């Protein structure tokens, strides 16, 4: 692991780091905020997964999480959204696919299968590095994210309910197997057999028996991607059928940007802190 930068913030440290990823076969960048309490003890860790076109830096620069994370004593880890580098296959003209759009899946289709293994990176490889290098209590983990990252957070929580004590999302892609926003990417990453897509689709995972105790989801009513891309009502229906507690808050007049996310970031941090606290 190499340190790219560190900055003092709210008594803690905001760091950016790079590591050689074996699963993604490239260098990967990630950010970690250590609150001041990390100097004395291991703390709960909260994973934030970003959306399409983003890197680790978007939430770090616009998410406004550090003040409250410092108050609550929570480590916040922000991975990148895809593999990077000149050798990584990409479609530069398509912002919904390739670099910046890993969808938190393990691709099975060439040429993407060699690098686009973001599920394994976020679930297996990066947590081992974080546990080894930072003062985190891995028995207290939460996960949240935005848009594509909200999709990633919910699907990862559903598939790993014993690991995560909390999960929330901002405007998640709730049903990517049917969304016009994500179907082309799923086909390129996972192939034409749509049954394989179900392993990375929140609604399908719930239909197939995966469970998580509760979710908090905030969604802006003025989000231009609401109807086709995000489909929160389909997540509501799936959760209701399965008996999963979903607090879906439709936030009047809010869009899809970090103006929306930063407005409700405090609510999400407190949600996770109540479930991960001492």
């Amino acid at each position: 692991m190499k340190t790219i930068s560190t900055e003092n913030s709210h008594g803690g440290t905001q760091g950016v780091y790079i590591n050689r990823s074996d699963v993604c076969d490239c260098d990967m960048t990630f950010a970690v905020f250590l609150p001041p309490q990390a100097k004395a003890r291991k703390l709960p860790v909260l994973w934030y997964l970003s959306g399409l076109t983003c890197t680790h830096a978007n939430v770090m620069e616009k998410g406004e999480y550090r003040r409250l994370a410092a108050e609550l004593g929570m480590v916040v880890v922000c991975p990148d959204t895809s593999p990077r580098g000149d050798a990584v296959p990409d479609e530069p003209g398509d912002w919904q696919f390739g670099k910046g759009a890993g969808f938190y899946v393990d691709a099975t289709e060439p040429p993407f299968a060699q690098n686009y293994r973001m599920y394994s990176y976020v679930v297996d490889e990066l947590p081992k590095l974080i546990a080894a290098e930072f003062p985190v209590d891995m028995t207290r983990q939460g996960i949240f994210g935005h848009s594509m990252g909200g999709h990633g957070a919910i699907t990862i929580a559903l598939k790993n309910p014993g690991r995560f004590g909390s999960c929330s999302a901002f405007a998640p892609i709730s049903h990517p197997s049917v969304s016009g926003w994500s179907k082309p990417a799923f086909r390129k990453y996972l192939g034409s057999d749509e049954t394989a897509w179900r392993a990375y689709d929140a609604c399908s995972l719930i239909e197939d028996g995966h469970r998580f105790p509760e979710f908090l989801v905030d969604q802006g009513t003025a989000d231009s991607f609401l109807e086709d891309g995000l489909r929160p009502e389909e997540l509501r229906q799936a959760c209701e059928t399965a008996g999963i507690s979903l607090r879906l808050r439709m936030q009047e007049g809010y869009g899809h940007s970090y103006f929306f996310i930063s407005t409700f970031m405090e609510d999400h941090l407190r949600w996770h802190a109540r479930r991960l606290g001492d």
Side-chain angles (χ1 to χ4, degrees), residues 143 154 157-158 161 164-169 211-217 239 243-247 271-272 274-276:
I143 190 166
I154 293 173
L158 284 166
F164 296 100
S166 56
C167 180
S168 70
R211 296 292 181 266
F212 197 78
E214 57 182 344
F215 299 112
L216 168 65
V217 172
C239 287
I244 296 172
S245 175
L246 169 64
R247 188 178 183 189
W271 166 276
H272 290 279
R274 286 194 294 271
R275 288 151 180 82
L276 303 176

Side-chain angles (χ1 to χ4, degrees), residues 82-276:
S82 77
R84 306 278 177 176
D86 294 340
V88 174
D90 189 23
E91 294 186 5
D94 186 353
W95 64 273
Q96 297 173 329
F97 183 76
K99 293 179 186 178
F103 275 93
Y104 304 99
V105 306
D106 280 351
T108 57
E109 296 298 296
F112 308 106
Q114 181 173 345
N115 304 105
Y116 286 84
R117 303 188 63 222
M118 289 301 296
Y119 179 85
S120 290
Y121 176 71
V122 169
V123 172
D124 297 321
E125 188 179 46
L126 186 57
K128 291 176 182 176
L129 179 64
I130 296 297
E133 298 289 343
F134 297 94
V136 293
D137 181 353
M138 298 299 278
T139 68
R140 294 186 288 166
Q141 297 185 63
I143 190 166
F144 68 150
H146 169 233
S147 193
M148 179 184 73
H151 136 77
I154 293 173
T155 57
I156 288 171
L158 284 166
K159 294 166 76 170
N160 301 273
R163 175 182 298 188
F164 296 100
S166 56
C167 180
S168 70
F170 303 98
I173 303 174
S174 297
H175 204 174
S177 293
V178 301
S179 169
W181 213 11
S182 43
K183 284 181 67 175
F186 271 37
R187 186 171 290 108
K188 292 174 185 176
Y189 286 139
L190 303 172
S192 58
D193 181 3
E194 296 188 10
T195 60
W197 303 3
R198 299 182 69 83
Y200 300 104
D201 183 305
C203 290
S204 298
L205 285 167
I206 293 170
E207 290 172 2
D208 292 343
H210 290 265
R211 296 292 181 266
F212 197 78
E214 57 182 344
F215 299 112
L216 168 65
V217 172
D218 276 314
Q219 171 64 62
T221 63
D223 191 321
S224 60
F225 304 111
L226 177 60
E227 297 301 327
D228 179 50
L230 305 175
R231 300 172 176 255
E233 287 301 325
E234 293 175 32
L235 180 63
R236 187 202 299 271
Q237 292 169 11
C239 287
E240 286 180 355
T241 300
I244 296 172
S245 175
L246 169 64
R247 188 178 183 189
L248 174 59
R249 307 192 304 183
M250 301 301 295
Q251 303 292 0
E252 188 66 32
Y254 282 90
H256 197 70
S257 74
Y258 271 90
F259 295 109
F260 158 63
I261 297 166
S262 63
T263 300
F264 300 102
M265 178 64 74
E266 179 171 336
D267 290 355
H268 285 246
L269 292 178
R270 292 193 184 280
W271 166 276
H272 290 279
R274 286 194 294 271
R275 288 151 180 82
L276 303 176

Side-chain angles (χ1 to χ4, degrees), residues 48-68:
Y48 180 90
L49 306 184
S50 290
L52 288 163
T53 75
C54 292
T55 70
H56 68 282
N58 294 74
V59 68
M60 186 179 75
E61 296 170 355
K62 304 175 185 176
E64 301 181 18
Y65 58 82
R66 277 175 291 270
R67 179 193 61 78
L68 189 59

